[in-house]
Amino acid sequence: MKRKLICFLFIIILFTGCGSADDKISDDGKVNYVKAKELIINNGAILVDVRTKEEYADGHIDGAVNLPVDDINEDSVKEVVKDKYDVIIVYCKSGVRSNNAADKLKDLGYNNIYDLGAMSNWKE
């Protein structure tokens, strides 16, 4: 009887404690497209493409604004983000520049930064 109860509890914990990875935010602020879309819809997140102006012009995620990582400073961010508590999601081509952009934004005092990583992570 005790063994059946332990097995039953284990199964319950397994199914309830292991939520879908599709809607999680990692400890380092990385998000997937499901969570990113949820943040945009529910929290009014600002989607920021941190690639160059030329890359942005060649194609970008609908609704994204362009703020190249090399141009991120106190003044340029204020043109895109009105409040330091606004939710911001950054992305680039491979994930390297978006990680750097997230760090720069945090250093400037922005508190709700999420990193989608590569633009290819986005699905319509």
Side-chain angles (χ1 to χ4, degrees):
M1 177 69 177
K2 194 174 195 178
R3 185 177 180 150
K4 287 182 182 180
L5 180 61
I6 291 172
C7 286
F8 179 72
L9 290 174
F10 176 75
I11 290 171
I12 289 174
I13 291 169
L14 180 67
F15 285 110
T16 59
C18 298
S20 169
D22 288 343
D23 63 355
K24 300 293 182 193
I25 299 172
S26 70
D27 292 339
D28 60 356
K30 305 277 188 215
V31 293
N32 62 27
Y33 78 99
V34 173
K35 190 62 180 179
K37 285 182 179 182
E38 181 183 307
L39 288 167
I40 292 167
I41 292 167
N42 296 336
N43 300 87
I46 302 162
L47 187 59
V48 179
D49 185 324
V50 298
R51 299 174 302 150
T52 65
K53 292 180 189 321
E54 294 78 23
E55 288 173 298
Y56 179 82
D58 284 341
H60 56 272
I61 298 171
D62 286 341
V65 295
N66 185 225
L67 180 60
V69 67
D70 292 335
D71 295 346
I72 292 176
N73 61 49
E74 191 77 40
D75 294 328
S76 66
V77 177
K78 285 180 184 175
E79 293 177 19
V80 175
V81 182
K82 302 305 177 207
D83 189 281
K84 289 197 176 193
Y85 295 98
D86 286 345
V87 179
I88 304 167
I89 302 169
V90 293
Y91 74 88
C92 64
K93 182 179 179 182
S94 68
V96 174
R97 289 178 283 180
S98 63
N99 186 59
N100 292 340
D103 289 343
K104 281 184 162 187
L105 290 165
K106 288 174 189 170
D107 289 345
L108 290 171
Y110 291 85
N111 298 297
N112 296 307
I113 312 302
Y114 300 96
D115 185 359
L116 178 63
M119 183 172 143
S120 62
N121 291 334
W122 187 263
K123 296 174 179 46
E124 291 299 325

